[in-house]
Amino acid sequence: IEVIDRNTIPRPSNFYGNSKLQAEKGIDKLASDDFKVVILRPPMIYGKDSKGNYPLLSKFARKSPIFPNIDNQRSVLHIDNLCEFIKLIIDNGESGIFFPQNKEYVKTIDLVKTIAETHGKKIWLTKIFNPILKLMFKVNIVNKVFGNLVYEKSISMYDKANYQIRDFRESIEMTESR
């Protein structure tokens, strides 16, 4: 499992990631007593009408009767938790680098299973595809879906208030409601 902590040095794997890191460095130079800078490094954000990998997993969970049963862990962040975090950061006049995430790490199979359940679907989990998928872990999309990547929980704590206002199940039900 790859665990990101406060000492993890960012290693962008593509142009997009590198451009975000360069933007952080440029914006950080603007920090002063009169201008507070907050840098957020969230994991995958999901919510109603979100973009990225979540809608693909949701579509798959609603359409397919079968899904690979690979044991992994991911840090994720529901949009309501992110919004609450940003509100608290502003209200408390914070500055610095923050790593917000949901309270719970999520397994891809639990995500897909919960999405299917919210739509009244049953999904069969199988390990038959695991050897093929494990060979494909170098492929970016396969690693994003089935790889392990978590933030150490302690770096996501915010001691002034609770920003994690939605738990996993509730957030999926809200995201999937029509």
Side-chain angles (χ1 to χ4, degrees):
I1 291 182
E2 185 175 352
V3 179
I4 294 172
D5 62 23
R6 287 219 179 270
N7 298 317
T8 301
I9 297 169
R11 294 180 322 241
S13 60
N14 56 35
F15 177 80
Y16 176 67
N18 189 49
S19 69
K20 290 193 322 185
L21 183 60
Q22 296 309 314
E24 281 183 13
K25 290 177 181 177
I27 291 170
D28 201 38
K29 290 176 185 174
L30 302 173
S32 70
D33 291 339
D34 298 322
F35 188 77
K36 296 191 178 200
V37 172
V38 171
I39 294 171
L40 298 179
R41 291 187 182 160
M44 179 185 85
I45 300 168
Y46 67 98
K48 200 99 175 125
D49 299 322
S50 62
K51 305 290 183 219
N53 291 334
Y54 182 91
L56 297 173
L57 285 171
S58 176
K59 185 176 183 181
F60 198 90
R62 288 179 278 127
K63 304 259 186 218
S64 178
I66 190 170
F67 193 78
N69 186 350
I70 291 184
D71 190 31
N72 70 336
Q73 288 190 316
R74 304 290 296 195
S75 288
V76 295
L77 181 62
H78 185 260
I79 189 68
D80 287 357
N81 292 340
L82 174 61
C83 290
E84 183 66 14
F85 186 79
I86 292 170
K87 177 192 175 303
L88 292 168
I89 292 296
I90 292 168
D91 289 349
N92 293 312
E94 301 283 359
S95 63
I97 299 176
F98 298 90
F99 302 83
Q101 69 177 322
N102 286 356
K103 279 181 192 164
E104 312 94 337
Y105 295 145
V106 174
K107 294 180 180 186
T108 303
I109 56 174
D110 292 337
L111 180 62
V112 169
K113 208 163 67 172
T114 305
I115 292 168
E117 287 170 7
T118 64
H119 292 281
K121 306 271 184 199
K122 194 150 176 85
I123 197 156
W124 182 56
L125 302 175
T126 180
K127 294 187 177 193
I128 199 165
F129 303 113
N130 290 15
I132 296 165
L133 288 170
K134 286 182 180 175
L135 288 174
M136 296 174 60
F137 263 50
K138 297 264 188 258
V139 176
N140 198 22
I141 190 71
V142 173
N143 195 40
K144 276 187 171 184
V145 173
F146 296 108
N148 291 292
L149 183 59
V150 296
Y151 288 170
E152 182 184 81
K153 291 200 178 198
S154 66
I155 69 171
S156 298
M157 300 303 230
Y158 188 65
D159 58 359
K160 295 181 181 157
N162 177 31
Y163 69 91
Q164 298 161 324
I165 58 174
R166 304 276 184 247
D167 67 21
F168 171 68
R169 184 157 206 68
E170 177 188 20
S171 70
I172 297 301
E173 289 170 355
M174 291 176 68
T175 300
E176 293 298 319
S177 68
R178 296 286 172 237

